[in-house]
Amino acid sequence: MRGLRFRLHLIILVAFSSIVYFSFKALELRKDATQAQHNAVASLELRSLALTVASSYASTPPTPLAPTLLERLGNWRRAINSAPRRTALVDLIQSLSMNDAAWIRKRALLLAEQEQKTYSEFASEAQHAWQEVEKHAACALLAAVIGFLVLNWTVSLRILRPLDRLSRRMMDFLVDRYSFQFSQPQANELGDLQRTFNSLAQRVINSMDELKTLDQAKSEFLNIASHELRTPLTSIKGSLSLLDSGVMGHIDPNCSRLIKIAEVETDRLIRLINDLLDLAKIEAGKLPLACSWMSWDDLVSKTIEGMTGLAHGAGVNVKVVPAPALEVFMDRDRIQQVLTNLVSNAIKFSPPGSWVTVDVERNKHGQLLVHVRDQGQGISPTDMAMIFQKFRQGSNPDNPLVKGTGLGLAIAKAMVAEHGGDIGVESELGEGSAFWFTMPKWRDDESSSDDSPTDPSPDPSTDPSKDPGPGASPKPASKPRAA
Amino acid sequence: MHVLLAEDDTNISVVTQLCLEKIGGHSVVLCVDGESALETALRQPFDLILLDGMMPKLSGLQVALQLQSNGVVGTPIIFLSAKTDDKDISDFLRIGNGYIAKPFDPMTICARIDAILASPGGT
């Protein structure tokens, strides 16, 4: 047994046995006191008998004694043990047979005097015994009170307070404020708990450090890997583009076709690397949003403008449904990436001559609801369940344009989620698809003039001469090129 | 334009030089590391300096900083880099006039350079 358990057992044992001892003692003494009281009362009775006899013989002629009185005196003779009382009583009984009134009276008075003495003896004995009873009861009560106080003190000081401290430290640890290491863990069961907590916390801290190191190593690896992948791709892409452009001289049509294939596949590889890196950054929480109030129309028109080439190549018309001027609180680049992704998907999955529509409305939760609708072949329910996962694409149609990285929707989903929005798709096979996402923070654009809600981008696909605009965007390869 | 191109990867430097010369019609002086780029830029004036981010001896950022501390402040500097770290990119934009990510589209690189030079703040 150690520490607290021993201490608690000791306190309870001592307190309990003291209470029991004093209580039993008090009960026993109470019995004595009652006996003494009883004896005192009895001696008073015998005294009154003696006084009755004395008064009977005081008059002349003496009043005859009741026969019961004699009998009672006889009973007393058997009951009394004490020698002086017995002598006095026997003397009286013997004198009664001698018919000498003065003598009898004297004996009776002597007995009365003796019983008076006996009475006071018993009375004081009883009084003393009662005092003892009270003393012992008080001791029992005192033992109970002291036991309670000591127990209370021990429990609160030795158990509750350290427990409280420990739980505070645990709470601190939960909110990353670990002031760990109890200066000196107590040498008892709670000390064991403190030590266990310390080791646990130490282990968690070690694991976290390890994780941080691993995470750092992963980021570093990603950065280096993407750099090393991009460097050769730059030469490949550059060489192919130069050859294809005809700047370097005329090229045989068959060769040109092969160069085109190599170029398209290089573009795809570049997109894949960019997407992978984006996703890795999002997952590591290293893609902080730079949100501000931006014009929605401007974003949509710029995005659609950048996709003119793709739409023209696929022979698909893109239409933006006019809406009142809006401002959305967003990271413009990210949401443009989402919209680009959805629209380019829609274009890629649409048959030539069909329409892709972008519209915006307010949903029942007051959020901005953006739809990108196409007239493609639709998505089967099984595909719908998985297209937002990584490296998952819908069943491949026979469209050569449909060669994505399988990461676009996963990235779009993550970015919309970062903005507090939701993303999804409604579709029926053969009926086309409608991808949607919500933006929770938006407002009417008060700065715009009254006549602004005209179509910000009057069907850009009708103007195929426009190429993706030049600019110094950090991620030019993520912009789709004219196919 | 008279352009200084600092690029250590031979293949990329060939492609970039061809783009600048054939499409943009610029004259290009090529340096294969940071140190020689710094020396060349200090010796003769250029209309534009294109710096690779990672080069032997001196990185593109170091070259740009040393040029600026040596009084070459009027010449615009654009970084070409395959680095994607946010910190690197913000450094490029802070110290240089702009930044073009690798792999770039050779057909539009001249137009993008023009756009960067036309914009007042860079980028």
Side-chain angles (χ1 to χ4, degrees):
Chain A
M1 277 217 296
R2 48 173 310 197
L4 282 173
R5 185 175 307 202
F6 176 72
R7 196 180 280 255
L8 286 178
H9 281 188
L10 192 71
I11 292 168
I12 292 170
L13 195 73
V14 168
F16 186 73
S17 51
S18 321
I19 293 169
V20 167
Y21 169 78
F22 285 116
S23 307
F24 270 91
K25 197 78 190 167
L27 280 177
E28 214 168 283
L29 285 168
R30 184 175 163 268
K31 229 183 278 171
D32 290 353
T34 320
Q35 185 61 48
Q37 234 170 348
H38 184 76
N39 287 346
V41 172
S43 61
L44 272 188
E45 211 175 301
L46 186 54
R47 178 172 166 265
S48 76
L49 274 186
L51 286 179
T52 313
V53 173
S55 65
S56 305
Y57 283 90
S59 57
T60 41
T63 325
L65 290 173
T68 49
L69 195 133
L70 287 174
E71 199 181 317
R72 279 166 71 189
L73 280 177
N75 287 344
W76 275 108
R77 191 180 163 182
R78 279 192 292 279
I80 286 175
N81 297 323
S82 146
R85 290 177 72 195
R86 193 183 167 86
T87 314
L89 181 60
V90 169
D91 282 355
L92 176 61
I93 291 170
Q94 281 174 351
S95 67
L96 280 175
S97 58
M98 275 193 269
N99 226 355
D100 179 348
W103 183 249
I104 290 170
R105 195 161 168 264
K106 193 180 170 197
R107 289 294 161 202
L109 285 176
L110 274 176
L111 179 60
E113 197 182 325
Q114 171 66 38
E115 286 310 303
Q116 175 69 44
K117 220 166 82 190
T118 310
Y119 164 74
S120 51
E121 272 170 19
F122 275 127
S124 79
E125 189 188 323
Q127 196 187 357
H128 181 72
W130 277 122
Q131 274 171 2
E132 283 296 304
V133 169
E134 273 166 23
K135 220 186 279 176
H136 280 79
C139 280
L141 193 67
L142 198 67
V145 169
I146 290 176
F148 171 76
L149 286 179
V150 171
L151 196 66
N152 191 34
W153 180 76
T154 306
V155 167
S156 67
L157 200 72
R158 295 279 170 161
I159 300 177
L160 294 182
R161 198 181 295 177
L163 263 183
D164 205 38
R165 220 161 29 217
L166 186 62
S167 97
R168 267 206 304 277
R169 303 249 168 156
M170 287 178 167
M171 287 304 292
D172 278 359
F173 189 55
L174 263 186
V175 293
D176 289 339
R177 262 188 306 149
Y178 186 43
S179 51
F180 91 109
Q181 288 307 344
F182 292 86
S183 47
Q184 198 164 14
Q186 300 171 14
N188 57 27
E189 292 85 344
L190 276 169
D192 291 346
L193 196 60
Q194 291 170 340
R195 266 187 290 274
T196 312
F197 171 61
N198 274 346
S199 330
L200 256 177
Q202 188 59 58
R203 186 179 290 185
V204 169
I205 287 173
N206 287 348
S207 311
M208 263 160 53
D209 285 349
E210 218 167 283
L211 271 181
K212 263 183 218 159
T213 317
L214 276 178
D215 191 53
Q216 225 163 357
K218 185 185 145 196
S219 306
E220 236 161 78
F221 169 77
L222 265 170
N223 269 332
I224 293 170
S226 72
H227 181 267
E228 293 309 306
L229 286 167
R230 278 160 207 261
T231 302
L233 278 170
T234 307
S235 314
I236 299 171
K237 162 102 178 136
S239 305
L240 291 171
S241 293
L242 280 174
L243 281 175
D244 187 40
S245 69
V247 176
M248 310 307 296
H250 179 72
I251 290 172
D252 174 72
N254 276 330
C255 288
S256 182
R257 253 181 69 202
L258 292 177
I259 289 171
K260 195 94 200 163
I261 291 172
E263 213 188 338
V264 167
E265 292 302 315
T266 309
D267 280 345
R268 190 170 147 214
L269 210 52
I270 292 169
R271 277 205 309 279
L272 179 62
I273 291 166
N274 287 339
D275 283 358
L276 268 176
L277 203 72
D278 274 354
L279 203 62
K281 276 185 182 171
I282 294 172
E283 281 176 353
K286 283 182 185 161
L287 203 75
L289 297 180
C291 286
S292 54
W293 287 104
M294 303 293 283
S295 157
W296 180 252
D297 292 344
D298 188 49
L299 170 81
V300 174
S301 56
K302 286 268 163 57
T303 308
I304 303 300
E305 201 180 295
M307 316 207 33
T308 317
L310 183 70
H312 181 66
V316 175
N317 309 298
V318 181
K319 188 176 80 178
V320 178
V321 178
L326 297 171
E327 279 196 332
V328 180
F329 191 69
M330 60 184 172
D331 185 326
R332 197 178 185 284
D333 288 347
R334 304 294 168 214
I335 295 303
Q336 179 160 9
Q337 207 173 337
V338 172
L339 200 60
T340 303
N341 196 287
L342 295 185
V343 174
S344 72
N345 269 351
I347 292 172
K348 283 189 287 186
F349 284 91
S350 291
S354 65
W355 286 86
V356 168
T357 322
V358 180
D359 65 62
V360 59
E361 61 185 299
R362 184 196 162 119
N363 73 1
K364 60 174 186 272
H365 304 297
Q367 298 174 319
L368 209 61
L369 176 62
V370 184
H371 269 107
V372 178
R373 305 175 202 271
D374 65 53
Q375 296 176 316
Q377 58 179 354
I379 304 167
S380 72
T382 42
D383 283 348
M384 260 197 279
M386 58 162 218
I387 50 175
F388 286 100
Q389 296 169 17
K390 280 178 255 178
F391 295 113
R392 287 303 195 60
Q393 289 176 291
S395 318
N396 210 4
D398 305 325
N399 189 340
L401 278 169
V402 182
K403 273 187 182 169
T405 60
L407 290 172
L409 286 176
I411 291 172
K413 184 179 179 179
M415 285 177 175
V416 170
E418 287 269 290
H419 282 80
D422 217 347
I423 195 167
V425 62
E426 291 148 15
S427 180
E428 246 173 78
L429 275 175
E431 300 274 311
S433 315
F435 281 82
W436 57 264
F437 66 95
T438 57
M439 299 296 298
K441 284 177 119 178
W442 65 280
R443 65 184 183 198
D444 293 321
D445 187 1
E446 293 125 5
S447 64
S448 67
S449 54
D450 289 345
D451 56 335
S452 66
T454 49
D455 192 344
S457 167
D459 195 4
S461 66
T462 55
D463 183 11
S465 64
K466 272 196 204 164
D467 224 9
S473 159
K475 290 185 179 59
S478 66
K479 281 191 178 172
R481 283 184 65 250
Chain B
M1 278 197 294
H2 193 45
V3 181
L4 171 67
L5 171 65
E7 170 64 69
D8 62 311
D9 187 294
T10 323
N11 295 333
I12 295 181
S13 66
V14 167
V15 171
T16 315
Q17 192 171 359
L18 277 173
C19 287
L20 294 171
E21 287 174 353
K22 297 277 179 185
I23 298 171
H26 307 300
S27 68
V28 176
V29 174
L30 177 68
C31 297
V32 292
D33 62 57
E35 216 169 71
S36 63
L38 182 62
E39 280 168 19
T40 316
L42 288 175
R43 214 169 39 234
Q44 49 173 301
F46 289 96
D47 300 316
L48 171 67
I49 297 173
L50 290 176
L51 294 173
D52 180 23
M54 287 219 299
M55 285 186 292
K57 295 180 186 172
L58 282 177
S59 76
L61 276 177
Q62 284 170 322
V63 173
L65 286 173
Q66 295 216 14
L67 279 177
Q68 284 168 1
S69 65
N70 278 295
V72 183
V73 283
T75 317
I77 294 173
I78 295 176
F79 291 97
L80 299 173
S81 180
K83 282 188 164 187
T84 51
D85 201 62
D86 289 339
K87 193 191 165 299
D88 291 326
I89 293 172
S90 68
D91 281 346
F92 292 148
L93 296 178
R94 188 166 48 82
I95 292 162
N97 297 58
Y99 150 74
I100 295 173
K102 288 179 187 172
F104 47 79
D105 183 349
M107 307 317 293
T108 59
I109 185 169
C110 291
R112 291 180 62 192
I113 288 172
D114 292 342
I116 291 173
L117 296 184
S119 68
T123 67

